[in-house]
Amino acid sequence: MRGSKSKPRASENGNCEAADWELRPGGMLVQKREDEFDSAVPLIKIKVYHDSYQHDVTVPAQSTFGELKRVLGQVTGLAPEEQRLLFRGKEKDDHEYLHMAGVKDMSKVVLLEDPASRERKIEQMQRNQGIAKACEAVAGVRDEVDKLIEKVNALESSVRRGTKVADQEFVVLTELLMRQLLKLDSIEAEDEARVQRRTEVRRIQHYVELLDALKVAARNPNPLSNNSSNGSTVTTQWQTFDSGYWKL
């Protein structure tokens, strides 16, 4: 069976030329060798029109339309179940034979993509676009959180050195982190975007809890590293939301 001229192959001299394909009995699709053109099975060339494209394929004259679909699947990328073949204005069933329907050498056949299949592809494309948009929104929040984390780390260093830090600094940073949680909760996410959102929620929770612990430690004049024996612990309570947990 011979595919469209758009499928090149390398010849012995290194040049590219159109690949020839043959549909063997049983539906097997193989590349035809030069010495196989004179086959005992009569072959016909069919002109298949698909949207703005034309594909010339060669198949055994007694093939079925279902077998022709398998050939076209190699050329167009459409699975057989996604194809509708029309000959002389009428759609043909897979079990119908080409020669019985009147298909001859150089006959014209129209290929249409099944509407339901096209609709599914459009829906999947829109879904993928939504996921990509959500991932981009989560990435924007991540960048903002990275900046806030730098400030949290700076406060932690000050507390560990025993430097006095006002409670307001912890309150402000906590408020800013909680705002990022609100942004995450407003993002409609699926699949990979949902995973990324959940990961970012947990990261923010970690630093909110760290700020709570640092605020307690800052009220003690001793460095944080010496506070392990004072028995002070901070447990942050969270309320479950769609994107994860919020601080109560």
Side-chain angles (χ1 to χ4, degrees):
M1 157 195 50
R2 183 166 53 198
S4 67
K5 296 180 180 180
S6 61
K7 297 181 77 66
R9 66 177 180 183
S11 62
E12 294 181 356
N13 60 10
N15 297 327
C16 288
E17 54 188 44
D20 295 307
W21 299 87
E22 181 178 356
L23 181 64
R24 294 286 180 83
M28 180 178 294
L29 183 66
V30 298
Q31 189 169 342
K32 178 182 278 189
R33 299 196 303 268
E34 293 299 329
D35 59 356
E36 291 179 328
F37 281 111
D38 296 327
S39 173
V41 179
L43 302 176
I44 58 174
K45 178 184 287 187
I46 302 174
K47 294 184 176 295
V48 180
Y49 294 88
H50 175 219
D51 292 336
S52 59
Y53 300 95
Q54 175 185 320
H55 305 287
D56 295 338
V57 295
T58 301
V59 296
Q62 296 182 352
S63 300
T64 65
F65 280 91
E67 291 170 331
L68 177 58
K69 285 183 178 181
R70 287 198 291 272
V71 175
L72 291 171
Q74 300 292 325
V75 179
T76 65
L78 292 176
E81 60 271 16
E82 297 175 333
Q83 302 177 34
R84 295 174 59 190
L85 294 180
L86 281 70
F87 180 62
R88 293 176 179 171
K90 295 182 179 181
E91 183 174 358
K92 297 300 178 179
D93 295 329
D94 290 352
H95 66 273
E96 293 187 68
Y97 286 92
L98 300 177
H99 68 288
M100 296 294 291
V103 178
K104 303 177 181 179
D105 190 51
M106 303 304 291
S107 289
K108 298 178 182 179
V109 173
V110 176
L111 167 61
L112 300 177
E113 184 176 357
D114 182 70
S117 172
R118 183 185 294 270
E119 185 176 346
R120 286 193 298 270
K121 289 182 178 180
I122 293 175
E123 290 176 353
Q124 184 61 44
M125 181 179 65
Q126 293 174 340
R127 186 169 181 267
N128 291 340
Q129 290 175 345
I131 292 174
K133 183 178 180 180
C135 285
E136 183 179 350
V138 172
V141 172
R142 186 183 302 116
D143 290 340
E144 293 299 318
V145 173
D146 287 341
K147 297 175 184 178
L148 295 175
I149 287 175
E150 292 179 2
K151 297 181 180 181
V152 174
N153 291 336
L155 280 183
E156 183 178 13
S157 297
S158 296
V159 172
R160 288 187 178 278
R161 290 194 304 268
T163 303
K164 184 175 179 58
V165 180
D167 284 358
Q168 186 62 22
E169 294 193 44
F170 299 105
V171 172
V172 170
L173 274 178
T174 299
E175 175 66 22
L176 292 175
L177 286 171
M178 296 302 293
R179 289 180 182 177
Q180 299 307 315
L181 273 183
L182 285 172
K183 289 183 181 180
L184 289 173
D185 192 64
S186 67
I187 298 173
E188 296 184 5
E190 293 183 274
D191 296 343
E192 177 59 26
R194 176 173 293 180
V195 173
Q196 293 185 19
R197 185 181 65 178
R198 185 183 302 115
T199 299
E200 198 58 33
V201 165
R202 290 173 178 172
R203 189 166 74 121
I204 293 175
Q205 290 171 356
H206 167 73
Y207 281 98
V208 168
E209 292 172 355
L210 176 59
L211 283 170
D212 287 342
L214 290 174
K215 183 165 66 172
V216 172
R219 294 170 180 169
N220 189 317
N222 297 318
L224 183 63
S225 58
N226 297 329
N227 288 341
S228 58
S229 62
N230 64 10
S232 298
T233 59
V234 177
T235 301
T236 304
Q237 295 183 349
W238 299 91
Q239 180 177 352
T240 304
F241 278 76
D242 177 60
S243 61
Y245 300 90
W246 284 9
K247 183 181 175 186
L248 291 175

